[in-house]
Amino acid sequence: MGGREANVVLLDENGIRSDGRKVNETRKVTIKAGVLKNANGSAYIEFGGNKILAGVFGPRDVHPKHMSNPDTGILRVRYHMEPFSVGERKKPAPSRREIEISKVIKEALEPAVMLENFPRTAVDVFLEVLQADGGTRCAALDAASVALADAGIPMRDIVCACAAGKAGDALILDVNNEEDQAGQADMPIGYMPNLGKITLLQLDGVLTPDEYKKCIELGLEGCKQVYEIQKNALREKYFSSSDNN
Ligand code: UDP
């Protein structure tokens, strides 16, 4: 949440948001699986104005070796924003924010990936944000799940993610950059629909207990919509006749 500037009109008198969406509408989401030849699995997502590439490698040997675990595989996630991905050039060095987002995405994916099948190995997930427009951690998590599945790594479920929040005093689905900066709350959610488990839940801003519950319900609706798009991306790669690579 940024300055919460009072002058920005985030919701008009008809309940329409500044980018033309209704309060319960996500931005357009498109996902393509298997876009990188040299990765074991990959995906490209456009989530509104966000453009993110995910590349997965492994299970593979761990270097340095002392980081490996004889009982299970480990998951490593690097979320990185390109300097040109935002209006004001981002310094190339990893920021505290990128380290935090890498950590929360890793923790959101871990319950889904059957790492216990691959002791002493690592699965590496690289997430490159080419263009950012609010909600990159959710979009990156969506792409990471598809890339992991594309790599053939056994998973309990696909993790789907979408944020809900509050702007213009209304609860809204899929918070864009402007709403994130000037709105009242942003709540990214990661969810495994088949298992009914939430694996990512953050809240930046202020909500009443009632709004908090409604925001989760709204966010889960968005997650479920993204889930269908993720499955379609995988179907398209594996069940269509066209050559994807
Ligand atoms: N952002 C930016 N410069 C930065 C970091 C972020 O302009 O150095 C923008 C970017 O559009 C991002 C948004 O701020 O999507 C919200 O960032 P936040 O930390 O809330 O994470 P996100 O919503 O992307 O998961």
Side-chain angles (χ1 to χ4, degrees):
M1 297 288 87
R4 301 190 181 90
E5 298 117 69
N7 295 335
V8 182
V9 178
L10 294 176
L11 202 65
D12 73 12
E13 62 278 10
N14 301 315
I16 299 298
R17 294 153 72 176
S18 55
D19 60 7
R21 280 184 291 154
K22 297 184 193 126
V23 284
N24 61 353
E25 205 179 324
T26 70
R27 291 170 286 183
K28 185 168 183 244
V29 181
T30 53
I31 305 176
K32 191 165 167 53
V35 291
L36 301 174
K37 188 165 158 256
N38 298 321
N40 296 126
S42 58
Y44 172 66
I45 187 166
E46 289 191 3
F47 202 128
N50 296 302
K51 297 184 180 187
I52 302 172
L53 256 179
V56 167
F57 296 85
R60 61 183 179 179
D61 287 348
V62 180
H63 297 291
K65 271 210 153 44
H66 68 82
M67 279 180 69
S68 69
N69 185 333
D71 299 323
T72 183
I74 58 169
L75 188 67
R76 298 187 291 202
V77 174
R78 190 190 74 172
Y79 163 102
H80 175 250
M81 267 182 139
E82 298 296 341
F84 53 79
S85 64
V86 284
E88 193 173 325
R89 181 183 178 273
K90 191 210 142 272
K91 289 190 191 138
S95 62
R96 284 172 64 100
R97 178 180 167 276
E98 286 169 298
I99 294 165
E100 176 227 319
I101 295 180
S102 300
K103 179 176 185 287
V104 297
I105 292 178
K106 171 177 129 70
E107 289 171 358
L109 288 168
E110 267 169 346
V113 186
M114 296 164 82
L115 292 162
E116 66 277 10
N117 290 5
F118 307 100
R120 295 179 200 278
T121 69
V123 173
D124 289 301
V125 181
F126 295 94
L127 299 163
E128 291 295 330
V129 180
L130 310 177
Q131 186 171 290
D133 189 25
T136 58
R137 77 194 63 204
C138 287
L141 180 50
D142 292 323
S145 295
V146 173
L148 282 162
D150 180 47
I153 293 171
M155 291 164 82
R156 296 181 178 84
D157 202 353
I158 294 175
V159 183
C160 49
C162 187
K166 187 178 172 187
D169 288 325
L171 297 185
I172 53 166
L173 182 59
D174 181 23
V175 180
N176 70 22
N177 191 37
E178 193 182 16
E179 292 163 339
D180 184 38
Q181 301 303 321
Q184 293 148 300
D186 178 24
M187 180 194 273
I189 301 174
Y191 183 55
M192 295 194 290
N194 269 340
L195 303 177
K197 282 197 174 143
I198 290 176
T199 66
L200 167 72
L201 184 62
Q202 294 184 289
L203 173 60
D204 187 7
V206 179
L207 295 173
T208 65
D210 186 47
E211 285 172 340
Y212 175 81
K213 278 189 210 142
K214 286 189 175 141
C215 225
I216 292 183
E217 279 165 28
L218 187 59
L220 291 181
E221 286 310 310
C223 288
K224 287 175 200 161
Q225 287 175 30
V226 175
Y227 191 58
E228 294 307 314
I229 298 165
Q230 289 173 304
K231 287 192 292 184
N232 278 337
L234 290 162
R235 275 192 206 113
E236 215 162 277
K237 177 171 174 196
Y238 289 97
F239 299 110
S240 83
S241 52
S242 64
D243 183 12
N244 282 283
N245 261 327

